[in-house]
Amino acid sequence: TQLSAAMAPRLALALALLAALCTGAGAANPIRRVVTMLQDMQKKIEAEGERDQELFDKFMCYCQTGAGDLEKSIKAAEAKMP
């Protein structure tokens, strides 16, 4: 089939726009990709750091109070023994 004279330029324009959209979305700037990757890594590391700090704080609390609690329970058990 033959395209009408008025339809040919519209089709060419539509194809050009489609090609521009496809290449623009798929081919991101390599520098932008690296920066985005580094930002994602930073967020992940910060989240891991917060989780690790919370675990460390719990462990230090146990270390500071655990010995005293253990001594109290040993003395209580010895006191109950005849």
Side-chain angles (χ1 to χ4, degrees):
T1 65
Q2 295 210 0
L3 295 174
S4 67
M7 195 165 182
R10 290 181 184 166
L11 181 60
L13 178 64
L15 290 175
L17 287 173
L18 182 62
L21 288 173
C22 290
T23 58
N29 182 355
I31 295 172
R32 170 55 38 204
R33 288 175 52 197
V34 170
V35 169
T36 302
M37 182 179 62
L38 290 173
Q39 289 171 339
D40 292 342
M41 287 174 59
Q42 180 183 8
K43 290 177 187 176
K44 181 180 176 183
I45 290 171
E46 286 174 352
E48 288 177 1
E50 290 173 1
R51 185 193 73 220
D52 290 347
Q53 183 64 41
E54 182 180 334
L55 289 173
F56 177 77
D57 291 342
K58 287 180 181 179
F59 177 73
M60 289 307 295
C61 180
Y62 171 76
C63 288
Q64 292 172 354
T65 61
D69 293 342
L70 185 61
E71 287 177 15
K72 287 179 188 176
S73 65
I74 291 173
K75 288 180 183 178
E78 287 176 350
K80 288 182 181 179
M81 292 175 60

